[in-house]
Amino acid sequence: MKFTKDSKIPDPIPSCGIEQAIKLMETGRLYRYNFSTEFNENADISSLELELASEVAQLEVEFSEYTGHKYMIAANSCGSALFLSLKAAGVQPGAKVLTNGFTFTAVPSSIVHAGAVPIYLECNELYQVDLDDLKGKIQAHRDAKFFILSHMRGHISDLQAIEEICHQAGIYLIEDCAHSLGSKWYDKNQKRERLVGQYGQVACFSSQSYKLLNSGEGGFVATNDDKIAAYCILAAGCYEKLYKKHLSRPFDDGLFEQMKPSVPNFSLRMNNLTAAVLRPQIKILESKISEYNKRYEQLANILASAENIQLPSPPEEVYRVCDSIQFNLLNLTNEQVEKFITRTAERGVKIQIFGRLDNSRYFKNWKYSFDEAPELPQTEKIISVACDLRISLSFDANDINLIGYIIKDVLYGLIKEETQADYKTALSDHFEGVDSVISKYDEWVSYYDEEHTKNGWKILLNYLGYLLSSYLKSNDKILDVGCGTGLLGQELNSYNFSNLYGGDISKSSLEVAQSLNIYKSLDTVILGAELGIEDSSFDAWVSTGVFTRNQVPLNAFEELIRILKVQGLLIVVLRVEDNDFYYNKIKEYYSQNTLEEVLKEKISPLRSCNHEIVIARKIGDKK
Ligand SMILES: *Cc1c(COP(=O)(O)O)cnc(C)c1O
């Protein structure tokens, strides 16, 4: 199965933004200082005056209300905004600027643009700035008085700690919020959440297409500081008395007149078309954030069942906005990592690894910023297995399921390849009664999971979870028949099935399943005997590795069909090698009009045998 959508599909522009852009083009007023001729720049700014202002001037006011800053200066990119911030903060040529060793190339580039020298900091497994390294580098570089803290891919470093460290050391903090708009950090002192961007003296934002706001290109400087604001306004390209056409500024004309002669004009303005497409997006930011986070949660939940995938679990202080997913691949060889990337790409899921020579987020590729590559062994280790995938709002729930399925399918396939051996301890082909089944499973429990993972069993379970998401609703009541240690339950749970019940013959297996905390209840069941469950209680039951090799008597179906609701589904994985032993019994129910077939599909994940998934619907009760 292949995924065919492009994860680089940007978010569309709301229709009112499109209409406004067309109106603007008709008037030709694209320059940010093209105000309506009725605007009286000497009047006090009232809402009436604001309506006469240009799109950019209005956007600045509206965006500052969202971020909670006094002043907002629009620019042509976040890279430009960072450059302006450094200049405004007084960075001189040759000055040292602390910054993340794991970020996007635009960040060190802005430092180089300002004539300064980046000092790179290590990141940790949560992709945060490593605080010990920060403290160490502050000690080692006592002349480093500026810090661009980049919230890379919305992973927020310990902002409260960093705020304090910077305050103590007299370091000027600039937050790069290009990819963290809307994120929050809980301030323990103030006992409230503060938006990311509120912790530094300056915050910079981006509206490049792959960020939360999309205007193709665009950026912002946000600050509460009068002088920084005045500097950025002038340096972005405001001359003569045009500062009067900024409505998110210090209303202190003397300050502008005084600073003007000493501030260069770098021409980094935003134009009105850009602002016209952005303004309606600010109004829908919150709903957009919840749409992105919903998709992220779904995908993260699917991936979380894979042992080799480590998803960063953010600290409790943080509220994240996730328009992309990052995870670390654990316990794979370099060759396996390579295959993982190639095979997922072949199936349409284009994952990037940060620490690659073709990735602009890998510090070794920033040769323009150093003579000798910085030593960042911890960062190097983390980003060499750190995967990155953009989540597009054009993906629906089925798309997310498919992406998650493909990622795990490839991964489970790679793990399966590791061993050439088959089951160490195959099941005997014949069981002599219930006791022999119980003792086999009780003995098996300690190495059951490992053996099954290595043998490719998880490929089947992942497929089943994915498949069932198109046959069942997430709150359907499902009985996992022969749930064992809960391997299938975990996969089902990863696809958001939460109303799970389990039953098994082996008490020791049930103890393991219990520890997973995914089943509503777990009970000992002996198939073929009475189940002690009411008629019509389940929307579905599902069973893998149970109806095989004569482990279960044929009369077990009777009880299992009884407990299904009419229209409920029976989902069973059979072994092809069993010569239709169980399938023939199911067919009897078809001919009695008790069940009807929904699906019969062959699947061969194991080396040792082939399987068949059978899904049947209960259409009536037996008279
Ligand atoms: C995109 C990005 C930037 C640069 O933003 P532009 O608007 O493209 O200049 C800077 N930092 C981070 C973390 C980014 O993701």
Side-chain angles (χ1 to χ4, degrees):
M1 234 167 308
K2 262 184 108 159
F3 185 64
T4 50
K5 282 191 187 168
D6 182 359
S7 73
K8 293 270 157 125
I9 300 169
D11 301 334
I13 306 304
S15 55
C16 56
I18 298 172
E19 283 160 27
Q20 191 59 20
I22 292 171
K23 267 197 220 156
L24 259 180
M25 286 190 277
E26 283 164 357
T27 65
R29 293 180 179 277
L30 303 187
Y31 183 48
R32 70 160 293 162
Y33 298 118
N34 284 151
F35 272 43
S36 160
T37 45
E38 289 158 52
F39 179 79
N40 176 1
E41 58 202 38
N42 291 315
D44 284 344
I45 304 299
S46 64
S47 58
L48 206 63
E49 293 294 321
L50 195 60
E51 278 169 33
L52 301 171
S54 74
E55 292 291 326
V56 177
Q58 293 193 60
L59 169 69
E60 285 169 338
V61 172
E62 289 158 0
F63 194 45
S64 73
E65 283 164 5
Y66 181 87
T67 68
H69 287 91
K70 248 165 113 178
Y71 310 124
M72 185 67 66
I73 301 95
N76 63 350
S77 74
C78 180
S80 296
L82 289 166
F83 165 71
L84 288 172
S85 309
L86 290 168
K87 297 295 289 181
V91 168
Q92 297 298 319
K96 290 177 180 170
V97 179
L98 299 157
T99 197
N100 310 52
F102 170 49
T103 181
F104 181 56
T105 183
V107 179
S109 297
S110 72
I111 296 171
V112 170
H113 192 186
V117 182
I119 306 291
Y120 295 112
L121 303 169
E122 292 269 33
C123 76
N124 64 23
E125 276 174 3
L126 301 180
Y127 316 115
Q128 299 171 303
V129 161
D130 183 304
L131 294 184
D132 289 333
D133 193 50
L134 172 63
K135 289 177 202 156
K137 293 219 164 107
I138 289 175
Q139 288 298 318
H141 302 275
R142 293 190 167 268
D143 50 343
K145 290 293 165 204
F146 305 92
F147 179 11
I148 298 186
L149 169 60
S150 184
H151 304 303
M152 185 57 177
R153 288 289 190 271
H155 296 281
I156 315 299
S157 301
D158 187 336
L159 271 171
Q160 193 155 21
I162 289 175
E163 186 183 41
E164 277 161 25
I165 292 168
C166 289
H167 183 74
Q168 295 270 318
I171 288 173
Y172 197 93
L173 181 62
I174 297 168
E175 285 182 74
D176 167 22
C177 304
H179 221 142
S180 62
L181 181 58
S183 303
K184 293 169 194 158
W185 184 273
Y186 185 79
D187 184 322
K188 284 189 197 120
N189 296 338
Q190 300 188 14
K191 292 200 171 51
R192 66 178 179 104
E193 276 184 327
R194 285 159 70 194
L195 273 170
V196 168
Q198 289 276 346
Y199 285 78
Q201 280 94 329
V202 182
C204 295
F205 298 88
S206 175
S207 59
Q208 185 266 347
S209 290
Y210 299 136
K211 315 296 161 97
L212 212 53
L213 297 172
N214 172 19
S215 60
E217 301 286 355
F220 299 87
V221 181
T223 184
N224 297 326
D225 183 300
D226 287 17
K227 283 202 181 118
I228 297 287
Y231 185 101
C232 290
I233 286 170
L234 294 167
C238 171
Y239 47 91
E240 296 162 357
K241 302 234 182 277
L242 289 174
Y243 55 80
K244 288 175 184 284
K245 290 185 168 175
H246 281 256
L247 306 180
S248 181
R249 62 154 171 134
F251 290 101
D252 175 356
D253 293 0
L255 178 66
F256 284 93
E257 290 302 331
Q258 180 206 332
M259 289 177 73
K260 201 161 58 178
S262 53
V263 180
N265 174 333
F266 294 111
S267 282
L268 302 172
R269 292 170 299 260
M270 180 182 278
N271 72 64
N272 280 337
L273 268 184
T274 302
V277 303
L278 284 176
R279 287 183 58 207
Q281 295 182 47
I282 290 166
K283 296 195 181 74
I284 57 167
L285 253 178
E286 288 305 307
S287 67
K288 209 165 158 177
I289 287 170
S290 70
E291 284 298 310
Y292 269 118
N293 282 357
K294 198 170 81 190
R295 285 161 178 75
Y296 178 89
E297 291 303 329
Q298 190 191 342
L299 185 54
N301 196 49
I302 296 172
L303 299 184
S305 70
E307 273 173 40
N308 303 68
I309 288 179
Q310 180 194 44
L311 287 147
S313 50
E316 58 178 14
E317 291 89 348
V318 82
Y319 170 76
R320 285 191 65 211
V321 176
C322 307
D323 58 2
S324 62
I325 193 162
Q326 287 73 41
F327 55 88
N328 299 323
L329 291 172
L330 300 184
N331 305 323
L332 297 185
T333 63
N334 289 344
E335 199 188 333
Q336 283 175 319
V337 171
E338 208 60 53
K339 281 187 186 161
F340 175 78
I341 297 300
T342 318
R343 289 184 192 175
T344 43
E346 279 164 6
R347 293 172 67 179
V349 179
K350 298 200 182 76
I351 294 168
Q352 286 191 308
I353 298 242
F354 288 117
R356 289 286 166 98
L357 287 171
D358 60 359
N359 197 310
S360 52
R361 295 150 199 93
Y362 180 32
F363 61 88
K364 290 214 169 135
N365 294 325
W366 309 332
K367 294 210 172 85
Y368 57 80
S369 75
F370 51 72
D371 295 326
E372 217 172 293
E375 295 228 357
L376 300 166
Q378 188 176 310
T379 302
E380 179 109 40
K381 184 163 171 251
I382 290 161
I383 67 174
S384 68
V385 291
C387 295
D388 182 34
L389 179 68
R390 183 169 180 270
I391 296 170
S392 167
L393 282 189
S394 69
F395 297 172
D396 61 21
N398 294 330
D399 294 326
I400 300 283
N401 275 340
L402 180 55
I403 294 171
Y405 163 69
I406 290 172
I407 291 176
K408 288 200 298 196
D409 192 48
V410 169
L411 189 61
Y412 293 157
L414 284 166
I415 299 160
K416 173 190 165 184
E417 281 181 356
E418 269 301 272
T419 56
Q420 284 309 312
D422 223 320
Y423 284 122
K424 276 181 273 180
T425 48
L427 281 170
S428 49
D429 272 337
H430 246 72
F431 288 96
E432 298 300 330
V434 173
D435 288 343
S436 71
V437 179
I438 295 178
S439 65
K440 175 69 207 171
Y441 279 93
D442 277 345
E443 180 225 315
W444 209 356
V445 66
S446 62
Y447 53 95
Y448 185 91
D449 286 14
E450 192 195 345
E451 198 164 276
H452 279 71
T453 304
K454 285 188 177 162
N455 207 36
W457 191 237
K458 282 208 171 176
I459 297 174
L460 187 146
L461 301 182
N462 178 39
Y463 181 64
L464 207 54
Y466 170 67
L467 182 74
L468 293 190
S469 57
S470 49
Y471 288 94
L472 296 171
K473 294 188 295 296
S474 61
N475 60 352
D476 277 349
K477 190 173 172 186
I478 303 169
L479 180 64
D480 182 353
V481 177
C483 62
T485 54
L487 283 180
L488 174 63
Q490 269 179 303
E491 289 299 327
L492 291 175
N493 190 248
S494 81
Y495 289 95
N496 208 22
F497 293 110
S498 53
N499 204 359
L500 298 177
Y501 292 75
D504 201 90
I505 197 169
S506 155
K507 288 205 172 62
S508 359
S509 299
L510 285 173
E511 278 166 24
V512 178
Q514 185 72 49
S515 68
L516 300 173
N517 275 326
I518 52 172
Y519 292 98
K520 294 226 159 134
S521 88
L522 288 162
D523 294 289
T524 314
V525 298
I526 294 181
L527 295 170
E530 276 183 27
L531 291 175
I533 300 172
E534 278 182 34
D535 291 358
S536 311
S537 353
F538 284 93
D539 295 298
W541 61 260
V542 53
S543 190
T544 63
V546 174
F547 288 86
T548 63
R549 306 186 199 223
N550 193 37
Q551 287 184 84
V552 180
L554 288 175
N555 70 349
F557 283 111
E558 204 67 22
E559 275 285 275
L560 286 169
I561 292 170
R562 179 183 65 76
I563 63 166
L564 269 187
K565 295 178 188 169
V566 173
Q567 297 299 317
L569 296 182
L570 164 169
I571 301 137
V572 62
V573 177
L574 305 175
R575 259 169 57 111
V576 173
E577 281 75 359
D578 286 339
N579 293 325
D580 292 343
F581 179 65
Y582 291 102
Y583 186 61
N584 285 336
K585 183 69 189 173
I586 293 172
K587 278 203 298 198
E588 279 179 26
Y589 291 99
Y590 294 165
S591 61
Q592 294 163 0
N593 285 331
T594 307
L595 297 177
E596 70 178 7
E597 189 152 285
V598 176
L599 178 94
K600 185 165 184 271
E601 190 182 307
K602 214 165 166 184
I603 174 166
S604 311
L606 300 192
R607 282 183 297 273
S608 53
C609 57
N610 298 310
H611 287 85
E612 219 160 30
I613 299 173
V614 175
I615 303 183
R617 179 180 293 112
K618 177 169 171 180
I619 47 175
D621 280 307
K622 267 180 104 184
K623 276 121 229 148

